[in-house]
Amino acid sequence: AVVSTQSTGKDEVLKIMPVQKQTRAGQRTRFKAFVAIGDYDGHIGLGVKCSKEVATAIRGAIILAKLSVIPVRRGYWGNKIGMPHTVPCKVTGKCGSVLVRLVPAPRGTGLVSAPVPKKLLNMAGFEDCYTCATGQTATLGNFAKATFAAIAATYAYLTPDMWSPTVFTNSPYQEYTDYLAKPFVKQPKKEVKY
C-alpha cells in the first residue's frame, strides 16, 4: 500500500550541522540537515542531506525523508485492551557506535527517552516506550539513524502470533503400523551360479 504523507505527514528538522572539507585555499563549509517526517500514526521517515545552503539542505532532506517512509508495528505491554500503544517486543537498532534498544512499556508510562529518539518515537505513533542507548549518543546523526533502525525492526521481527498454523502428521511408526505389525519372514538367499 502506498501511503501519501503529503497531507498528513509533519516534518521536523532535527539538526543542521556545518561540515567542512579542507582545500588548498582554506576550507569549504557545507550544511548537513537531518529531517524526520511522520504522521503520528504508524509511519515515519528519516532524511539526511548535505548542501552549500541551509534551505537547499532542508528541502533535500525533506524529500529523502518522504522517500524513506516505513510502516511501524505497534503492540501491547500486557493485555490486549484498546489500541496498540507500545513496541510489540524488544527491538534494537545500531548505527556507528550508537545502539538503541526499545522496550515495551505499560500504558501511561509515556516515552522514557532522550530528546532525539523521543521525537522519532512520538512521530511514529508510540505512546509508551522504555529506551536504552549505548555508545556516542552525542553524535545526533547516528543516534537518530539507530532509533530509526530499531523502529523499522518492529515489522522485521516474526512474533508467535504471526506463525502459520502447525499441521501435525503421524510419525512413520504410526503411519505404517499395519505393515510393521506383520511378522518378519526372512527370504531365502538365491544362489548365484557363475
Side-chain angles (χ1 to χ4, degrees):
V2 178
V3 180
S4 170
T5 55
Q6 199 70 40
S7 53
T8 56
K10 291 185 179 66
D11 49 62
E12 192 171 330
V13 179
L14 298 174
K15 191 181 185 180
I16 294 160
M17 59 184 280
V19 290
Q20 292 182 327
K21 179 187 178 181
Q22 196 69 35
T23 59
R24 231 179 332 182
Q27 59 263 25
R28 188 192 67 195
T29 306
R30 289 160 87 202
F31 297 97
K32 196 175 185 182
F34 297 92
V35 172
I37 191 165
D39 60 356
Y40 295 86
D41 190 29
H43 296 94
I44 188 154
L46 183 69
V48 183
K49 180 72 177 166
C50 198
S51 182
K52 284 180 195 171
E53 294 168 22
V54 175
T56 320
I58 291 171
R59 207 175 310 122
I62 289 169
I63 291 165
L64 289 172
K66 284 179 179 175
L67 288 170
S68 73
V69 168
I70 53 161
V72 176
R73 184 171 177 219
R74 289 169 291 177
Y76 300 91
W77 173 78
N79 289 344
K80 293 173 176 60
I81 301 167
M83 296 298 285
H85 60 99
T86 185
V87 282
C89 56
K90 292 175 187 173
V91 283
T92 312
K94 194 169 189 293
C95 181
S97 73
V98 184
L99 185 137
V100 173
R101 186 177 193 226
L102 307 179
V103 181
R107 232 181 255 280
T109 307
L111 300 170
V112 184
S113 164
V116 176
K118 196 171 204 168
K119 271 183 193 169
L120 290 166
L121 291 167
N122 191 25
M123 281 183 155
F126 292 111
E127 292 162 37
D128 314 288
C129 187
Y130 291 127
T131 61
C132 163
T134 59
Q136 192 72 17
T137 54
T139 313
L140 188 139
N142 286 356
F143 203 8
K145 281 181 181 177
T147 310
F148 186 71
I151 292 169
T154 55
Y155 259 123
Y157 198 88
L158 184 68
T159 50
D161 56 329
M162 292 164 80
W163 290 355
S164 55
T166 313
V167 180
F168 294 105
T169 55
N170 289 336
S171 71
Y173 292 121
Q174 188 74 39
E175 201 170 331
Y176 302 107
T177 185
D178 297 335
Y179 175 76
L180 294 168
K182 290 175 187 172
F184 179 67
V185 179
K186 197 171 183 181
Q187 298 293 327
K189 273 189 178 179
K190 288 177 184 173
E191 283 184 22
V192 181
K193 291 176 181 177
Y194 295 106

